[in-house]
Amino acid sequence: MSTADGADPMYPLLGRLVSSRDMGREIKLLGVKLLNGTQPPFPAYAPGQFAFLSAFGIGEAPFGLASTTERGEVLEFAVQRLGSVTTGLHELAEGDALGVRGPLGNTFPMEAFQHKNLLVLGGGIGGAPLRPVIHSVLDHRQDYGQLTILWAARHPSLLIFRDEYESWRAAPHTELHLTVDEADAAWDHHVGLMTDLVRQVAPSAANTVAITCGPPIMIYHVDKLLSELGFAPEQRYVTLEARMHCGLGKCGRCNMGELLVCRDGPVFSMAQVGNFLESYL
Amino acid sequence: MKTLSRENLNLWLDGLAAQQSLIAPHLEAQGVFYRPVQRAQEIAWEADRPALSAKEFLFPPSERLLKVEKRGPDIRLEVSPSAAPQAIFGLRPCDARGIRVMDAAFLETPPIDSQYASRRENTLLLGLACRSMGASCFCTIMGLAPDDPRDMDVMFTDRGPTLAVQALTPRGEALLAGLPIVEEPGEVEPASRREVGGLPTAEAWKESFGDARWAKHGERCLSCRLCAYVCPTCRCYDVRDEALPSPPGEAHFERLRAWDSCTREGYRLTAGGHNPRAAAGSRLRNRLLCKFVYYPHQYGPAACTGCGRCLDACPVNLDLLEIGGALQEAAQ
């Protein structure tokens, strides 16, 4: 494929793994720096966008960008080991080469979110593409209203970005609520599904935007609940995914009705995809 | 009308075949297929539309996107070379439309797919009108005709000792320059048409999303994907890395893309293994709604040419006309 500048967007840029840190059980935070040389640099990107990572010889898969351009040049991806490509990426050592393609997809409308209260609901590895939203709000705290983060996982060992919770809580007008389906001995937060936590926190829909990412079943039930709490479809955002192959609107893998997750999304409001959500289950 | 004698056409085709790959209908053990031929004599003239479309010559069943060579910590990536020139002769209107439909996704919707573009730029479309509509053909429903010259560079109509010839593009005109073409009085006789049923409007297809019949069709569908593979417009693909033989101390791979279909069970999996289209009926519905609703929404044209190959290929006789016809009746 080629863009106006002649670059082929199916052709990965070469990068190096600069850090690979265990974040949870089978979950690593990978830090990637692009190699200097003839390749163009990775363009500026915005919260919500994704990129493909190549474990060469194994394959390529899309991951939400978990970092922000503002916080530095290292691209960060939270990768849970689930299949062959994620295993290949987990097995890379710091310094190893990998491929990067992106940034792709649309973005959260951060400007439209300004001066609104934000309710961020992340389930499991689905929290990864929401971290750039949280970082952007924390880095421009005065531009946004109350930030309420509802963060869930099946088990404490599957919670991501645990080392950042303190700094999230310490920010002004920011709350963090945690829940797990199944606790361990050290757990002293809520136990139950994300929907239980939403009911307990009972967020107000007034001047608020909700942003959800997690497994499809969680997205579906959380969305229903938010609707009951008075959030209009235009106030309910999701970021969706599929095992896509191009990210460019060609391979056909990610359609949801007439929308393509890669090109029309991955960020959608429920006004766009509400009717399809049941078929996404 | 302009005509060319069969003898001169054959000489010209022999010349084309000497310069570039010439693809034309050819009789194989299992029927007539578009295949590379060396000489005009090898062409199967009498056949209906070939058993498979010409899709594979623009969008091969499997092709290399990238070669990867690992030498210790170093990685070298190599893109595929550009395509060699080819001419497809005897192309039927439905198959030319199929190419036109793929153009809409791969060329006309940015970004351009460079491998498809390279093949497309290097391919001449030399049409041959069908004399009539085959048993499963329904091109007329899709707004085509058995002798539809649109989407071709040059269109030929077989008239026995001579062929009517019409250039449709500047490239086609340049190609015909210098040929002993004769101006004859009269018009080209139109191909015979057969009355075929109707299909729902895009709106009616869309409204069928919740129709209970999809689940019933799903009980029959084997998810074998034959319909997609014989379809001139189905263009979904899979990408994967495969190992290549490598010299000692190195590891070579290629990144391939290969045809795929949304009727395959694991096609729409999400990262955690969840399958939003686990039911065969929902996958079949997706494929047909893509043809008439989703593809037009994303890229413009409807993704069906009425070639009828899916009707011939389906091992359980799922029939697009039957499925659509029933929905159309329900909508009325």
Side-chain angles (χ1 to χ4, degrees):
Chain A
M1 318 228 176
S2 57
T3 48
D5 62 4
D8 187 332
M10 281 300 277
Y11 188 93
L13 304 177
L14 285 180
R16 249 187 225 303
L17 192 66
V18 294
S19 59
S20 177
R21 185 162 64 76
D22 284 315
M23 257 205 307
R25 199 202 312 156
E26 307 282 20
I27 303 171
K28 283 180 189 285
L29 185 67
L30 304 182
V32 177
K33 249 186 177 171
L34 292 179
L35 294 178
N36 295 322
T38 54
Q39 307 282 17
F42 196 80
Y45 57 97
Q49 290 194 287
F50 66 95
F52 280 80
L53 293 181
S54 279
F56 287 119
I58 300 166
E60 191 186 51
F63 299 93
L65 280 149
S67 47
T68 59
T69 303
E70 230 176 357
R71 287 204 181 186
E73 60 173 332
V74 175
L75 308 174
E76 289 181 318
F77 301 90
V79 177
Q80 183 165 17
R81 195 170 73 82
L82 286 165
S84 54
V85 174
T86 50
T87 298
L89 292 170
H90 269 227
E91 284 172 357
L92 292 177
E94 285 177 16
D96 281 352
L98 75 172
V100 188
R101 273 199 312 121
L104 297 162
N106 69 353
T107 68
F108 287 107
M110 295 305 292
E111 251 174 62
F113 291 170
Q114 286 186 4
H115 313 298
K116 289 199 160 86
N117 303 316
L118 294 180
L119 177 66
V120 174
L121 307 109
I125 197 69
L130 303 180
R131 185 185 183 227
V133 174
I134 296 170
H135 282 186
S136 296
V137 174
L138 297 185
D139 292 346
H140 301 272
R141 197 65 202 85
Q142 68 289 354
D143 294 343
Y144 301 90
Q146 178 75 22
L147 173 64
T148 307
I149 304 166
L150 274 59
W151 216 240
R154 278 178 288 141
H155 187 265
S157 63
L158 295 170
L159 279 168
I160 57 173
F161 306 118
R162 289 183 82 157
D163 58 335
E164 299 186 14
Y165 296 167
E166 215 168 296
S167 68
W168 294 359
R169 284 199 184 99
H173 310 294
T174 304
E175 287 170 37
L176 171 67
H177 302 272
L178 299 170
T179 187
V180 292
D181 298 357
E182 189 194 328
D184 59 12
W187 186 252
D188 56 359
H189 301 279
H190 190 269
V191 178
L193 298 176
M194 175 65 106
T195 42
D196 298 333
L197 188 63
V198 176
R199 276 196 201 93
Q200 188 191 305
V201 173
S204 159
N207 193 36
T208 303
V209 168
I211 303 165
T212 310
C213 187
I217 190 88
M218 184 202 101
I219 293 181
Y220 179 74
H221 287 288
V222 163
D223 188 66
K224 246 169 108 167
L225 193 50
L226 290 173
S227 170
E228 286 165 22
L229 288 168
F231 285 79
E234 295 77 15
Q235 290 174 280
R236 309 194 312 263
Y237 281 83
V238 281
T239 168
L240 301 176
E241 54 99 8
R243 288 192 195 173
M244 48 183 85
H245 285 307
C246 69
L248 305 162
K250 308 287 181 189
C251 79
R253 184 62 69 107
C254 64
N255 88 294
M256 196 164 161
E258 59 207 43
L259 300 173
L260 293 174
V261 172
C262 70
R263 206 172 64 166
D264 300 310
V267 175
F268 296 99
S269 83
M270 278 300 146
Q272 293 172 281
V273 295
N275 293 338
F276 294 124
L277 212 56
E278 200 152 0
S279 68
Y280 180 65
L281 274 178
Chain B
M1 84 185 109
K2 292 185 162 66
T3 63
L4 186 64
S5 73
R6 181 170 298 276
E7 202 183 0
N8 282 324
L9 175 72
N10 286 347
L11 277 172
W12 178 68
L13 287 173
D14 286 344
L16 266 186
Q19 291 159 15
Q20 60 192 309
S21 174
L22 178 66
I23 293 139
H26 184 252
L27 182 63
E28 308 272 313
Q30 295 182 328
V32 172
F33 294 87
Y34 294 107
R35 285 288 177 266
V37 295
Q38 306 304 317
R39 306 181 54 211
Q41 256 190 341
E42 298 169 28
I43 297 171
W45 286 94
E46 299 300 323
D48 284 341
R49 57 133 178 77
L52 291 179
S53 79
K55 171 168 80 174
E56 64 188 277
F57 298 99
L58 280 304
F59 177 50
S62 168
E63 69 180 312
R64 178 185 289 181
L65 292 178
L66 206 63
K67 188 180 178 200
V68 182
E69 296 180 6
K70 277 192 197 174
R71 284 186 199 92
D74 293 321
I75 288 201
R76 215 174 74 83
L77 304 181
E78 200 177 277
V79 284
S80 297
S82 44
Q86 59 182 358
I88 308 178
F89 176 80
L91 189 68
R92 298 310 202 267
C94 52
D95 294 331
R97 172 59 62 89
I99 292 168
R100 164 79 194 80
V101 171
M102 287 196 294
D103 288 352
F106 287 142
L107 299 181
E108 290 158 18
T109 308
I112 288 170
D113 184 308
S114 50
Q115 290 197 204
Y116 180 87
S118 167
R119 285 204 180 80
R120 186 69 172 91
E121 277 162 24
N122 284 293
T123 304
L124 290 166
L125 307 184
L126 310 175
L128 182 64
C130 293
R131 292 167 198 195
S132 59
M133 290 168 69
S136 39
C137 293
F138 59 96
C139 61
T140 47
I141 300 184
M142 297 312 302
L144 277 79
D147 49 3
D148 200 327
R150 287 174 297 174
D151 310 318
M152 306 284 186
D153 289 308
V154 180
M155 186 65 164
F156 293 92
T157 308
D158 195 343
R159 306 173 67 250
T162 68
L163 289 97
V165 51
Q166 183 190 2
L168 282 308
T169 61
R171 200 152 65 149
E173 264 165 40
L175 201 61
L176 296 183
L179 283 184
I181 287 173
V182 180
E183 188 69 49
E184 278 188 46
E187 295 294 317
V188 184
E189 198 182 321
S192 77
R193 293 166 177 236
R194 187 166 46 77
E195 197 58 40
V196 273
L199 282 174
T201 59
E203 203 47 48
W205 278 111
K206 196 174 174 178
E207 277 166 18
S208 79
F209 192 88
D211 194 295
R213 274 169 289 198
W214 289 116
K216 281 195 78 173
H217 299 317
E219 288 170 12
R220 272 164 76 191
C221 179
L222 305 175
S223 304
C224 71
R225 292 100 79 190
L226 277 179
C227 52
Y229 298 151
V230 302
C231 179
T233 71
C234 269
R235 63 72 183 81
C236 285
Y237 61 82
D238 188 20
V239 175
R240 47 189 67 228
D241 287 8
E242 299 284 349
L244 291 170
S246 323
E250 298 186 15
H252 293 191
F253 304 94
E254 58 182 344
R255 177 158 294 169
L256 297 173
R257 77 163 157 198
W259 291 357
D260 200 352
S261 163
C262 62
T263 52
R264 181 171 64 76
E265 188 173 3
Y267 180 82
R268 182 58 176 87
L269 282 178
T270 62
H274 171 70
N275 189 353
R277 290 201 284 266
S282 69
R283 296 194 293 274
L284 180 65
R285 175 182 64 194
N286 189 74
R287 180 165 179 275
L288 296 191
L289 263 57
C290 176
K291 304 245 150 266
F292 302 102
V293 185
Y294 309 158
Y295 198 94
H297 175 85
Q298 285 289 341
Y299 311 109
C304 176
T305 72
C307 73
R309 291 186 178 95
C310 55
L311 278 55
D312 294 342
C314 184
V316 293
N317 295 325
L318 280 166
D319 181 327
L320 168 66
L321 292 177
E322 232 174 77
I323 294 173
L327 290 174
Q328 192 192 23
E329 265 174 43
Q332 278 167 358

